[in-house]
Amino acid sequence: MRNEYVQAVLAVVRLVPAGSAVSYGDVAELLGSGGPRQIGYVMSHHGGSVPWWRILKASGHAPEGHEAEALLFYLEEGTPLLGAFSSYLRTGEGRWRVDLNTARWAPTDNDFDRIDIIAEQLERSLHRLSVADDGMIL
DNA sequence: ATTCTGACTTGCT
DNA sequence: AAGCAAGCCAGAA
């Protein structure tokens, strides 16, 4: 995984505002590069420095193994939830998920501009790298 | 080239 | 709502 790609993904994730969320696939689509699994890879290995809980499965379920911690952030940010999150909070039992239909981030024109810039920078660096690789083959 | 793996997604029970 | 199969994208062996 190119570092440029990782940085681009993290840059997009940082734009997602508190109280909202997007799916892994959404991020890939906004970035115009890679797929949901690539975003998942980046988040699992480099997501620690960004609001990782705002990126979830398309179903609205929090990232594997981080449900409890993520739930605290959702409650804090007022992220719309579905299901038995309160009993999950008390007993650890019960299933819940983010109401992605309501919570899904709708980027403003300004946000789209920023995303375009990020995507464009990524394209440039990847193209440059591919040219360099060709040179190495000879 | 082939196969496996994964913080994924969609469609079908 | 939950489980499963297949599809998907990149990287690693």
Side-chain angles (χ1 to χ4, degrees), chain A residues 71-111:
Chain A
L71 180 54
L72 298 181
F73 282 113
Y74 299 143
L75 294 173
E76 219 175 273
E77 300 184 352
T79 308
L81 301 173
L82 296 171
F85 59 89
S86 54
S87 67
Y88 179 89
L89 204 53
R90 294 192 315 271
T91 68
E93 298 303 313
R95 303 186 174 289
W96 57 273
R97 61 202 169 111
V98 169
D99 180 1
L100 208 41
N101 275 321
T102 303
R104 191 186 307 270
W105 177 40
T108 64
D109 290 344
N110 206 333
D111 291 327

Side-chain angles (χ1 to χ4, degrees), chain A residues 6-138:
Chain A
V6 173
Q7 295 312 315
V9 170
L10 296 181
V12 170
V13 170
R14 275 189 281 259
L15 296 178
V16 181
S20 61
V22 292
S23 72
Y24 296 97
D26 291 336
V27 176
E29 202 168 313
L30 288 171
L31 200 51
S33 175
R37 315 201 71 142
Q38 281 56 241
I39 306 303
Y41 177 87
V42 171
M43 293 309 290
S44 73
H45 293 79
H46 308 92
S49 57
V50 297
W52 51 266
W53 57 93
R54 296 177 195 153
I55 314 300
L56 359 138
K57 296 189 184 188
S59 61
H61 290 108
E64 287 290 328
H66 300 270
E67 294 84 357
E69 195 184 353
L71 180 54
L72 298 181
F73 282 113
Y74 299 143
L75 294 173
E76 219 175 273
E77 300 184 352
T79 308
L81 301 173
L82 296 171
F85 59 89
S86 54
S87 67
Y88 179 89
L89 204 53
R90 294 192 315 271
T91 68
E93 298 303 313
R95 303 186 174 289
W96 57 273
R97 61 202 169 111
V98 169
D99 180 1
L100 208 41
N101 275 321
T102 303
R104 191 186 307 270
W105 177 40
T108 64
D109 290 344
N110 206 333
D111 291 327
F112 276 123
D113 288 344
R114 292 180 183 165
I115 294 170
D116 285 343
I117 292 171
I118 295 168
E120 188 189 335
Q121 285 183 349
L122 176 61
E123 296 273 331
R124 272 205 304 274
S125 53
L126 291 183
H127 179 263
R128 196 162 55 237
L129 289 166
S130 69
V131 170
D133 286 344
D134 289 345
M136 296 304 283
I137 295 171
L138 279 182

